[in-house]
Amino acid sequence: MRIVIAEDSVLLLQGLTRLLTDEGHEVVGYRTADELVAALGGATELPDVLVTDVRMPPSHTDEGLRAAIHLRSLHPRLPVLVLSQYVEQRYARELFAGDVRGLGYVLKDRVTDIDELLDAISRVAGNGTVIDPEVVAQIMARTTRTGLEGLTAREREVLALMAEGRSNYAIADRLVVGLPAVEKHVTSILTKLGLPPDSDDHRRVLAVLRWLEHRPNGES
């Protein structure tokens, strides 16, 4: 097989490369997500499987997983095995939201046997699906706790008005309260929903999407 590895750790990249080469595979490695996307984004010949870490330069947060999602959007048939120490819940849910054939997510610390890893790579390359039970547990835990249950009645009212596309000024006018009170409610809503730090506009959109997806019956 032709295998592409995206891993910023030199030791792990070299170790995986030697291991897979000894098994008769052709291996190409990249140490940043940007290099990976540049190499495969416009490729006409894809590898049999991409093995990628989650946290890669420059921020060492989620670049590897986001790159994998981007490449799957460009090449839906590209098999991807995420091999990481971490479960990045938000993007993991996005990765597995569509067709899960040719996808895998395995935690490094739970790989106790080399043959286990080789089997996971082979199964994903063969259009199978391999998901560590711990990954499933964490994704489901995050999915079932929406955060909406922790909102006060007033915060739910504010969020419903946000879903209508109203600005903070418009919400203050509708509820007959001061603008600082609305801003305080919005900040509390974003915090309780556990939305990642980002631009206020982006977090606001995510809050509205959460509300529209999980609001109780009868609430508008």
Side-chain angles (χ1 to χ4, degrees):
M1 288 192 294
R2 180 169 179 264
I3 302 173
V4 167
I5 301 175
E7 170 61 62
D8 67 304
S9 168
V10 174
L11 292 178
L12 187 54
L13 177 58
Q14 291 183 351
L16 286 173
T17 298
R18 175 169 295 184
L19 169 67
L20 294 171
T21 300
D22 288 346
E23 292 292 323
H25 303 299
E26 177 186 346
V27 181
V28 177
Y30 299 98
R31 294 188 58 199
T32 72
D34 288 342
E35 291 176 354
L36 174 67
V37 172
L40 298 186
T44 55
E45 183 178 351
L46 297 174
D48 294 297
V49 62
L50 162 64
V51 180
T52 183
D53 195 0
V54 170
R55 299 186 176 184
M56 298 186 70
S59 73
H60 293 278
T61 54
D62 51 27
E63 283 93 336
L65 186 49
R66 286 193 287 114
I69 292 171
H70 174 63
L71 290 171
R72 280 278 290 199
S73 71
L74 297 176
H75 310 292
R77 295 183 179 180
L78 173 65
V80 174
L81 174 63
V82 179
L83 179 63
S84 179
Q85 290 178 288
Y86 310 97
V87 179
E88 210 302 324
Q89 296 165 327
R90 175 185 170 192
Y91 290 109
R93 291 199 307 275
E94 184 175 344
L95 180 66
F96 289 97
D99 188 350
V100 299
R101 290 175 295 181
L103 286 178
Y105 201 130
V106 175
L107 297 179
K108 292 176 180 176
D109 292 344
R110 288 168 59 87
V111 176
T112 58
D113 185 291
I114 295 299
D115 288 337
E116 182 182 345
L117 176 60
L118 294 174
D119 179 64
I121 293 173
S122 178
R123 287 164 60 190
V124 170
N127 218 29
T129 304
V130 180
I131 310 178
D132 189 294
E134 179 62 24
V135 175
V136 175
Q138 291 195 37
I139 292 175
M140 291 303 296
R142 180 61 179 271
T143 301
T144 55
R145 293 194 297 270
T146 67
L148 296 176
E149 63 275 6
L151 301 182
T152 65
R154 175 60 91 179
E155 288 167 349
R156 297 170 76 87
E157 194 173 4
V158 170
L159 183 50
L161 292 171
M162 288 167 58
E164 295 177 7
R166 297 176 186 268
S167 66
N168 287 357
Y169 291 99
I171 294 173
D173 184 62
R174 175 69 177 271
L175 299 179
V176 195
V177 297
L179 180 61
V182 173
E183 293 174 340
K184 182 178 179 180
H185 286 313
V186 171
T187 298
S188 179
I189 289 167
L190 298 178
T191 300
K192 288 182 177 180
L193 294 185
L195 296 174
D198 206 326
S199 69
D200 287 340
D201 287 345
H202 184 57
R203 297 175 76 198
R204 195 179 182 98
V205 169
L206 292 176
V208 167
L209 290 175
R210 184 86 60 85
W211 172 257
L212 294 176
E213 183 179 359
H214 298 287
R215 62 186 174 189
N217 292 333
E219 295 200 48
S220 60

